[in-house]
Amino acid sequence: MEQFLWNSIDDLYEDLLIPDGEHFEQLQSVAEEKGVPAIAVSKLQGRFLYLIVKMLGAKKILEIGTLAGFSSICMAQGLQEDGKLISLEIDESFAELARLNFEQAGVSHKIDVMNAPALQSLEHLRQQSGEPFDLIFIDADKVNNPHYFNYALKLSKAGTVIIADNVVRQGDILKDNTDDMSVQGIREFNKMIANNDRVEATTLQTVGSKGYDGLMLIRVKV
Ligand code: DHB
Ligand code: MG
């Protein structure tokens, strides 16, 4: 019953607020046909990311976990023409499909996909020591979230916003003695956020077509 209601409300607001909703539906169904897991951000969540990019006036974005590139497209659409998104994806077939999707969506000139294990790409980016990122979206395997957060901080400046997806996981995050490695990764990540003076953060619990989950919104202070 609850899931049915959440889906209906998502449908209502998608119809009201998302002008190119059908395009995203098409992307999702092609991705699923090609075996990409159906764990992309929802259309409304993608719209949230798009708005954050615009509200920040972000010029440089890092995404950890591309999948088929749905969230990447949303964020790239919010970027100005001279903005850049770097998206990290370990899976070659996902990266390939994402690049096709970026072409179709007319945002490929704004996105670079690095097809390698994310920690490898992050170390590469750290060594390059380019301009810090304005926005970092952490949405890959949850086991490595603590490492992703450490690198995110190294690639940040005062004012950088970090968003981490899936910090609630249907409430599984409360289970203390779980052998779910994803939950353990997020619990460790949570401790790091709580104990780090460089950041301030909040969590928004979410319901919708993706069930019950949540995201953490983090701001780098210094
Ligand atoms: C999973 C991963 C995600 O990024 C997500 O949004 C939902 C689920 C997962 O691995 O289960
Ligand atoms: Mg996610």
Side-chain angles (χ1 to χ4, degrees), residues 179-222:
D179 53 10
D180 181 334
M181 296 303 286
S182 296
V183 168
Q184 288 181 19
I186 292 179
R187 290 176 66 85
E188 181 60 29
F189 164 83
N190 288 347
K191 271 189 226 156
M192 291 167 71
I193 302 282
N195 295 321
N196 194 309
D197 290 338
R198 272 190 75 195
V199 297
E200 51 194 357
T202 190
T203 294
L204 295 173
Q205 299 190 65
T206 55
V207 295
S209 56
K210 283 192 72 180
Y212 170 40
D213 212 320
L215 53 86
M216 195 179 290
L217 187 64
I218 301 155
R219 178 179 172 275
V220 179
K221 292 193 282 188
V222 286

Side-chain angles (χ1 to χ4, degrees), residues 39 41 139 142 165-166 210:
I39 54 173
V41 296
D139 191 20
K142 313 310 166 194
D165 196 21
N166 313 113
K210 283 192 72 180

Side-chain angles (χ1 to χ4, degrees), residues 142-153:
K142 313 310 166 194
V143 175
N144 279 311
N145 255 40
H147 303 301
Y148 297 151
F149 175 63
N150 273 332
Y151 272 108
L153 272 184

Side-chain angles (χ1 to χ4, degrees), residues 48-64:
F48 172 81
L49 293 171
Y50 162 87
L51 287 168
I52 291 277
V53 171
K54 285 207 152 180
M55 288 188 285
L56 281 175
K59 289 217 157 155
K60 207 177 156 188
I61 305 172
L62 174 64
E63 175 176 61
I64 307 174

Side-chain angles (χ1 to χ4, degrees), residues 94-111:
F94 297 174
E96 197 179 315
L97 175 61
R99 288 191 183 109
L100 276 176
N101 289 337
F102 300 157
E103 289 284 339
Q104 265 183 29
V107 292
S108 57
H109 58 295
K110 296 186 196 172
I111 306 179

Side-chain angles (χ1 to χ4, degrees), residues 120-168:
Q120 203 173 299
S121 300
L122 287 163
E123 179 56 26
H124 190 73
L125 289 169
R126 189 189 67 79
Q127 284 175 16
Q128 277 183 344
S129 61
E131 284 284 299
F133 291 91
D134 303 306
L135 173 65
I136 301 175
F137 182 45
I138 303 178
D139 191 20
D141 65 285
K142 313 310 166 194
V143 175
N144 279 311
N145 255 40
H147 303 301
Y148 297 151
F149 175 63
N150 273 332
Y151 272 108
L153 272 184
K154 287 179 184 151
L155 299 168
S156 291
K157 60 180 167 45
T160 294
V161 170
I162 303 171
I163 299 177
D165 196 21
N166 313 113
V167 298
V168 174

